[in-house]
């Protein structure tokens, strides 16, 4: 399974380093063989350890150059980062990234052999518009994306579930994941208000190959428990 922590714009450089060290020690101690990804704020990047793979929350599709406020491949190479999050709902809806922009990032980082965690998910009004509207919306988020890329991981994260404490029902997650699995065989994570109360049920669902966790991942002991539980599921 894939257990991923999106630390967003949280923690300092020192706290992130402590977080990664504590997580690494826990995973080692419990011989956890799951894929564990941590996406820290860009200024807090450190190199991956044996069990914890570090990824970047965003980068510009360039080696280097004149792209004020962005980082490119040259800056990622310094930390040997080979994993990137693309299409997170906050990038799409808060920072205004279009599908076209995401596709250019996807293609660039695919070309560089990066592992790509690509996020999709619908806003509330789309879900409320019914099944057909929702599937059409999600379909459009696959446009231009190579769904057969061998280093692709997909995360389904309903926008209305992110950071709100609301989640779809377990049945809804399971049935949607079955439909999304028909579009791509890539590991499919669920994200959006995964927490200490629901992670076991979510991880146990069919066609859920892991979780992408925001707020609840900030407490390293909690995130470590999710990794430990994933190990007990024979998936
Ligand atoms: P959340 O965020 O767990 O805080 O809802 C998930 C995400 O944005 O990836």
């Amino acid at each position: 399974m894939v257990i991923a922590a999106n630390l967003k714009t949280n923690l300092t450089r020192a706290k992130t380093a402590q977080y990664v060290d504590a997580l690494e020690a826990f995973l080692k101690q419990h011989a956890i063989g799951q894929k564990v990804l941590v996406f820290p704020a860009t200024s807090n990047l450190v190199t991956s350890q044996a069990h914890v793979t570090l990824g970047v929350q965003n980068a510009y599709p360039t080696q280097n150059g004149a792209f004020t406020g962005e980082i490119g491949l040259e800056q990622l190479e310094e930390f040997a980062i080979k994993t990137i999050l693309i299409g997170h709902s906050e990038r799409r809806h808060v920072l205004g990234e279009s599908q076209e922009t995401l596709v250019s990032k996807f293609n660039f980082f695919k070309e560089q052999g990066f592992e790509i965690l690509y996020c999709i998910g619908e806003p509330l009004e789309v879900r409320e518009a019914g099944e057909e509207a929702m599937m059409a919306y999600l379909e459009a988020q696959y446009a231009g994306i190579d769904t057969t890329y061998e280093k692709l991981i997909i995360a389904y994260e309903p926008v209305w579930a992110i950071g709100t404490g609301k989640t779809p029902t377990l049945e809804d997650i399971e049935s949607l994941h079955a439909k999304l699995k028909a579009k791509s065989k890539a590991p499919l994570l669920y994200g959006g208000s995964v927490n200490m109360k629901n992670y076991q049920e979510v991880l146990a669902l069919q066609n859920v190959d892991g979780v992408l966790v925001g707020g609840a991942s900030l407490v390293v002991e909690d995130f470590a428990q999710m990794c430990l539980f994933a190990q007990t599921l024979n998936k």
Side-chain angles (χ1 to χ4, degrees):
M1 301 190 91
V2 183
I3 313 298
N6 179 5
L7 303 179
K8 307 193 181 183
T9 317
N10 296 298
L11 307 186
T12 59
R13 189 157 177 78
K15 283 188 178 147
T16 303
Q18 280 166 13
Y19 182 104
V20 173
D21 286 349
L23 185 59
E24 175 66 23
F26 182 93
L27 299 178
K28 189 173 172 208
Q29 184 195 343
H30 295 273
I32 296 196
Q34 310 301 311
K35 186 186 274 289
V36 176
L37 306 177
V38 174
F39 297 90
T42 310
S43 60
N44 300 344
L45 284 174
V46 287
T47 49
S48 296
Q49 299 197 14
H51 297 78
V52 184
T53 299
L54 270 285
V56 68
Q57 294 173 16
N58 177 50
Y60 199 74
T62 187
Q63 175 74 29
N64 52 28
F67 303 100
T68 302
E70 297 287 331
I71 64 163
L73 206 54
E74 193 175 297
Q75 289 74 40
L76 296 177
E77 279 169 352
E78 193 175 3
F79 299 97
I81 299 292
K82 293 291 276 179
T83 299
I84 186 168
L85 196 60
I86 295 179
H88 188 276
S89 86
E90 284 145 20
R91 301 290 323 167
R92 292 178 190 268
H93 300 290
V94 183
L95 285 311
E97 285 189 5
S98 66
Q99 186 66 19
E100 200 187 356
T101 300
L102 299 175
V103 167
S104 74
K105 287 187 182 184
F106 188 97
N107 289 338
F108 179 86
F109 287 102
K110 175 187 156 196
E111 194 70 21
Q112 302 298 330
F114 270 56
E115 176 171 59
I116 299 176
L117 177 41
Y118 181 72
C119 303
I120 59 168
E122 81 292 346
L124 189 58
E125 65 273 17
V126 173
R127 174 163 283 242
E128 286 173 345
E131 168 87 14
E132 207 176 309
M134 180 169 149
M135 290 316 290
Y137 188 94
L138 294 174
E139 188 73 50
Q141 295 183 323
Y142 284 88
I145 299 298
D146 177 2
T147 54
T148 65
Y149 179 45
E150 69 276 11
K151 291 188 188 160
L152 171 65
I153 301 167
I154 297 174
Y156 167 63
E157 299 200 298
V159 179
W160 52 274
I162 295 178
T164 59
K166 294 185 193 137
T167 58
T169 64
L170 296 173
E171 293 73 24
D172 280 350
I173 296 173
E174 202 162 55
S175 82
L176 190 64
H177 272 232
K179 288 183 195 131
L180 297 178
K181 265 291 169 114
K183 294 185 192 296
S184 171
K185 293 201 182 348
L188 181 60
L189 317 187
Y190 170 78
S193 292
V194 173
N195 57 39
M196 290 309 282
K197 291 204 185 92
N198 61 21
Y199 76 96
Q200 297 195 353
E201 290 172 327
V202 172
L203 280 170
L205 294 174
Q206 236 185 347
N207 289 315
V208 170
D209 302 313
V211 283
L212 175 55
V213 190
S217 73
L218 290 174
V219 177
V220 68
E221 291 79 11
D222 290 351
F223 184 67
Q225 284 306 314
M226 295 183 190
C227 301
L228 184 61
F229 180 73
Q231 181 87 357
T232 68
L233 296 171
N234 210 4
K235 287 205 199 181

